Amino acid sequence: MKKIVITGGIGYIGTELCKIYSGESWNNKITVIDNRFISERVNQLRSWNIDFIHADMTDLESVNHHLREADVVHHLVGITDVSRIKEESNSDKDSKMKEVAEKSTSIVLSETSKNCKIIFPSTHVVFEGKKDLIKDIKEDYEKFPVLAYSTSKDLNEKQITESGKNYIILRLASVYGYSTDTTRLNIMPNLFSQIASQNGTIKLFAGGKQLKCLVPLIDVARCFKFMEERNDIKSDIFNLSKDQITVEQVADICKKINPKVKIVKTDDRIPNPGYGLSNKKLLSVGFKFLYGLEESIKEMIYKWSKQNITRNLENVKKGEKEFVDERGKISNHELPEPINLIGYIDSKKGTVRANHFHPIQEQKCLLVKGQFISVYKDLLNKNSQKVTHVVNEGDLIVTKPNVAHAMVFTKDSVFLNLVRGEREHENYGVTHTKRYVLVKEDEKNLLMNSYKFDCRSCGKTNLKRVVSLGYQPLANNLLNKKDAKCELYPLEMNYCKDCHNCQLSVVVDPRKMFSNYLYLSSTSLTFTKHFENASQKYIKELKLSPKKSYIMDIGSNDGIALKPFKNLGFKKILGIEPAKNLAKLANKNKIKTINCFLDKKNLKKIKKNADIILASNVFAHSDKLKEMAECMLRLLKKSGTIIIEVQYLLNTLQDLTFDNIYHEHYNYWSLTSLINFFKQFDAKIVKAEKIDTHGGSLRIYVKKDRNSKIDKSIKNLLEEEEKFGIKNYKTYEMFSEKIYQIQKNVKKNIKKLKSNGKKIIGYGSPAKATTALNFFGISDEIDFVVEDNKLKHGKFIPGVKIPILSKDKILDKNGTILVLAWNFYNDIKNNNTNLSDDFVNIKDLEK
Ligand SMILES: [Zn+2]
């Protein structure tokens, strides 16, 4: 067992050296002597099993017995707060420093045993008096100390070399690098990093031309350890210097890392051109430097700068720096602060934990096994919404203080709770954790039954959040009574990093939405016209014949898309429609329609070999799109074409039409993601067109024949999407930021509108109005909504519970009409001048 004494062990170098010795403090006896007492440091040394002696090295009586038994002394004691230039000299301070240095060194030399090795830090400053620029100064070069610090070190060197003892003198260059509270900021690279971290101005006197020699802190500590271990190196002097670099070059590194820093040069007289030490001798005995100037500066600037802390109140992170081999995977999570408590918590599938918040602590959980849905809500913002997301194995989830959270376990799970602070069970509800019930039993069941954990298109689980619009009712399920029961589901869009598909976080049972549908396509003139034009186009381009061609429409509504074919004499037409009322209506109008969902079990009911299969605004309306696509391909003739129209994600992102997001739309397509989707089948997309229905849609043509020629529209549109950033998660994050800004603006503007004292009456109750009003939290502000569709009269918009009435309930022209069906704003305004003089488009409140 070696006995090692470190004097001045809680200083800048000592702290790093102790850290290295903590690795062997169970085998060797390590003692630190220091006249300072820093609580955190002392506590740290104790926990490392390093002895701490609070004593002054000039006080013989209190230190001699520790020195007597030492095998090695790292003699680091010294006053480091010293003058670097002549003008700063202060004779009292200087003489005190000299006295401490001389006396403590002579005590170390006299009280240690004959065989004790003394390792001592001297300084490059012993060469400071040289007038010319000198590089690569060797150890035996003539010294020229001038100021008190260097003359004192010079004196110590003499004391040691003349003592006849075993010694190592290390002449240190300027030591730089981050350490804890002992970091010395008066050293040039540290000082420059400090300035750079505050976006300040670095002043370069004499243009910063002076040559400096520098050495990283950790390498200095390593070198002391190295010298202690090497019994073959005895009574010798080494330069300990890594870089020879000008002051200006150091400033340039800071500027490179933080371009906001300013550099100002003055052209005053250079006090001396500087000098650099050679490290050849040190390298020749086998020492290796492991750390670099640029990394050290980067570390200091980063640690002292305002950090880009994520805005999200709850964040899920995958492990980083993955290393995979045949044994398995390693990944790391870096934590910004130390933790002092790890809870091991296992949980059964179907149970709920948390339902509380922490007033001060950040919650960090590492999910080791299983899966859970996390639900959270900001408690400091009264308008905040509940947000849900999935946590998968290996994820670290971090929740900010004052954010209520709950975990719904969807598999048997084990997580580690990583705590900074206390978690006394007795103080539950008092100091660290307070109850807040966020998820009750029925909501748990709803989440368990409806959550979508993997990508509908590619099956992977790398889903990232695009936007959360809060818990919302099913947009088209209008209430019959104001207080009728109404289920709320999270309305959140996720993005798949693997195939760029966007989809909702939950899957609502389609029977709850599509079995009795109030939306009649044919009531809209725009859509009737759209399908008329489309049919003529298809007949021409695909050379369809009224006698032979078999036209099928999936999600055929009341027959709107097939009617133009029928009118042109097409005999073989068939609609597939899951809403009973609509199928009935279509059949009544002599458009043959089968009432069912398109899935494998219904396939045998449907006649095969269609020339054309249309699917307009249905290819986002099912969880089982793969099955739907397979069925369509099975029903299609070999030479046939599937023509799909979907709402276009690019328009939603570009035009910020977040109100197109509702539970009926399970999926949000771009051409990029559709191509990835159809790659899985024996099919390919041969042509794509942008069309203007539903605020921007996409029409694609799919062929079974893999040898079909591909139109150039595909390449063009893919390029446009790529340029827009459809494959870049940042695009989606920016979308979400803008949506939250819209929410703030609307709240502010509706308040302003209301302050006029006029009634506000809504116009139109499309699904998008349900989404928007619920997201904005607008309810009592609107007296009632009027609607042209009589089927909706007497009902209530779900969630916000605003009554829907007929127009004759508007008794005077004094109210403000807020147009919720904003895509028809002009028509509504022009056709209803008798209702009010004041029309406002809800879209205009978004600015
Ligand atoms: Zn995917």
Side-chain angles (χ1 to χ4, degrees), residues 584-773:
K584 205 170 152 189
L585 190 65
N587 280 316
K588 207 174 113 191
N589 294 332
K590 302 265 157 32
I591 292 165
K592 193 181 168 195
T593 301
I594 301 176
N595 175 220
C596 68
F597 286 98
L598 179 60
D599 51 28
K600 281 182 184 159
K601 80 175 187 299
N602 287 322
L603 212 50
K604 56 182 179 298
K605 295 184 196 168
I606 308 166
K607 193 173 162 270
K608 291 196 174 57
N609 281 322
D611 292 274
I612 301 287
I613 297 181
L614 305 174
S616 300
N617 307 308
V618 289
F619 206 62
H621 295 60
S622 170
D623 181 32
K624 296 170 183 160
L625 290 179
K626 278 188 197 169
E627 188 176 345
M628 190 192 268
E630 269 173 55
C631 289
M632 287 199 282
L633 288 164
R634 296 252 293 266
L635 293 171
L636 189 72
K637 200 188 242 181
K638 198 178 172 202
S639 61
T641 309
I642 298 172
I643 304 173
I644 296 174
E645 288 181 11
V646 284
Q647 196 174 290
Y648 192 17
L649 177 64
L650 200 74
N651 287 104
T652 305
L653 297 176
Q654 224 158 18
D655 308 336
L656 308 176
T657 45
F658 67 92
D659 50 358
N660 273 329
I661 301 171
Y662 45 97
H663 293 105
E664 284 173 27
H665 293 163
Y666 295 87
N667 229 75
Y668 299 80
W669 292 110
S670 61
L671 183 59
T672 305
S673 60
L674 278 165
I675 284 181
N676 287 332
F677 177 78
F678 276 101
K679 265 184 196 159
Q680 311 170 68
F681 306 99
D682 264 342
K684 65 181 186 183
I685 303 176
V686 295
K687 188 172 158 187
E689 291 163 353
K690 287 200 234 181
I691 50 177
D692 56 12
T693 49
H694 295 286
S697 297
L698 182 66
R699 177 191 282 152
I700 56 161
Y701 297 74
V702 183
K703 288 275 202 187
K704 254 183 181 174
D705 184 359
R706 285 201 149 256
N707 296 321
S708 310
K709 200 174 148 259
I710 293 188
D711 188 74
K712 65 175 185 301
S713 58
I714 299 287
K715 185 172 170 266
N716 293 344
L717 203 52
L718 283 179
E719 274 173 16
E720 187 182 328
E721 290 186 353
E722 173 107 43
K723 210 169 144 200
F724 178 75
I726 211 89
K727 293 180 182 174
N728 186 350
Y729 180 57
K730 187 99 200 120
T731 307
Y732 301 88
E733 283 183 305
M734 272 160 54
F735 169 75
S736 134
E737 258 168 52
K738 287 178 191 158
I739 299 310
Y740 291 126
Q741 187 56 48
I742 284 177
Q743 185 188 38
K744 277 185 201 149
N745 294 348
V746 171
K747 270 182 186 154
K748 191 183 71 198
N749 289 328
I750 200 97
K751 219 176 195 177
K752 226 193 263 170
L753 201 62
K754 197 74 194 161
S755 68
N756 295 339
K758 289 205 275 186
K759 260 188 183 169
I760 300 178
I761 299 155
Y763 200 113
S765 58
K768 57 164 134 302
T770 308
T771 296
L773 294 174

Side-chain angles (χ1 to χ4, degrees), residues 241-254:
S241 169
K242 178 162 182 288
D243 316 276
Q244 298 184 59
I245 185 169
T246 66
V247 177
E248 184 185 19
Q249 284 170 312
V250 175
D252 287 343
I253 293 174
C254 292

